[in-house]
């Protein structure tokens, strides 16, 4: 038995020794691409004030804000009838802001597709502000391993919105494309929590009836402290929102103030701009999707070809997350898992088991956000193969 105080077993993200390359597989917050982190570091060496010290109403910051907004629009191909907001309160802030902006009072209906931990939490928050209809996404064994079929009967036609999470970060379930809403329900806007998969696949904004799409920055596009919230213009209007919606969460209030109703997360907004510029240089969302497919496939291949040494909960490729790959060793063998964590940590691979609000979970998890390269994923795949060979006897 290994003592459970080893840094690798308590989720340490430090490297074992400075000579190995650190690869951060953490589910978030996480590392940005090396080129972006270098650019951020360089910005601190330039003369003058950085965005950490700039007034949000100064011409210098307004230029940064405009730049980030324009880059987000280009990279995500956002149509003109959508507005881009930089909101506070993280993903959890939007769990509350969505019903408070789109439902006037408790009698308004909203449909929540619940197929994992984050949609459960969003639905539970919404229960306080509107009448929630849940589409239960559990499989026949009561677990979350798939995305439910959407039929007309499941979606109340009076719904103000249909809510889903396009990548359930903890459960490892992803919609590689947004689901098609039955024809008779297509007037209802979709609300999408894209916190952990934004920029890794195209969004068909009009074709998929997107009403609101939000993403906390700390997974794929930046640092904690800012959330990218994109809202279709026809959903705005103070009269539509709940009179109890706080100003800081009110989409219309913030839009009318050009994102400056209160102090926005200035530095974090600048970082999103760096990340979007990097993505554009690298080939945009299309190239990023190719990379995501390649990074995840190499790990699923190791798992699927390990003769049962490694397991992963989602069996259907159609729903397997490209962003977060949960896996266990010999059905969850504790000693073996500890050895795996310590040995991979010694090779610089960190963040494979972190605490979440939902506990440590049964699975380890490799998160493959924008900061992880194809080579990084290959390093983990190689380690997993070596480890399995050594421990298969
Ligand atoms: C991490 C995460 C959240 C929580 O975001 P916070 O910024 O911590 O509030 C919400 N939804 C998804 C899908 C996530 O991955």
């Amino acid at each position: 038995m290994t003592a459970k105080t080893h840094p690798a077993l308590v989720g340490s993200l430090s490297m074992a020794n400075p000579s190995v390359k650190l690869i951060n597989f953490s589910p978030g917050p996480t590392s940005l691409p090396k080129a972006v982190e270098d650019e951020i570091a360089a910005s601190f060496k330039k003369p003058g004030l950085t965005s950490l010290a700039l007034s949000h109403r100064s011409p210098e910051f307004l230029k940064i804000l405009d730049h980030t907004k324009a880059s987000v629009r280009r990279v995500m191909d956002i149509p003109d009838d959508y507005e881009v907001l930089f909101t506070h309160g993280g993903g959890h802030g939007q769990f509350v802001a969505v019903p408070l902006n789109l439902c006037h009072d408790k009698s308004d209906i909203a449909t929540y597709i619940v197929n994992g931990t984050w949609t459960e939490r969003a639905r539970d928050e919404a229960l306080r502000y509107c009448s929630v209809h849940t589409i239960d996404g559990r499989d026949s064994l009561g677990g979350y391993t798939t995305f439910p079929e959407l039929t007309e009967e499941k979606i109340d036609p009076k719904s103000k919105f249909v809510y889903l999470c396009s990548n359930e970060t903890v459960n490892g379930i992803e919609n590689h494309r947004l689901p098609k809403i039955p024809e008779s329900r297509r007037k209802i806007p979709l609300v999408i929590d894209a916190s952990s998969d934004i920029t890794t696949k195209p969004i068909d904004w009009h074709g998929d009836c997107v009403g609101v799409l939000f993403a906390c920055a700390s997974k794929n596009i930046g640092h904690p402290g800012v959330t990218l919230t994109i809202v279709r213009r026809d959903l705005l209007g103070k009269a539509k929102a709940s009179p109890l919606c706080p100003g800081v969460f009110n989409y219309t209030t913030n839009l009318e103030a050009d994102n400056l109703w209160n102090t926005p997360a200035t530095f974090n907004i600048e970082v999103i701009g760096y990340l979007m510029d990097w993505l554009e240089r690298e080939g945009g969302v299309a190239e990023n999707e190719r990379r995501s497919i390649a990074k995840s496939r190499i790990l699923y291949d190791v798992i699927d070809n390990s003769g049962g040494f490694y397991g992963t909960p989602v069996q259907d490729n159609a729903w397997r997350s490209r962003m977060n790959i949960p896996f266990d060793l010999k059905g969850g063998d504790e000693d073996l898992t500890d050895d795996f964590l310590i040995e991979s940590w010694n090779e610089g691979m960190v963040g494979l088991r972190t605490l979440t609000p939902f506990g440590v979970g049964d699975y380890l998890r490799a998160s493959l956000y924008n900061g992880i390269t194809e080579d990084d994923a290959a390093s983990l795949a190689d380690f997993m193969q070596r480890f399995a060979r050594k421990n298969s006897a």
Side-chain angles (χ1 to χ4, degrees), residues 89-93 95 118 165 167 169 193 195-196 214 216 218-219 227:
H92 286 75
F95 294 169
W118 289 118
C165 175
N167 182 62
T169 320
D193 176 357
S195 290
S196 52
F214 68 86
C216 63
S218 61
K219 313 285 166 69
T227 299

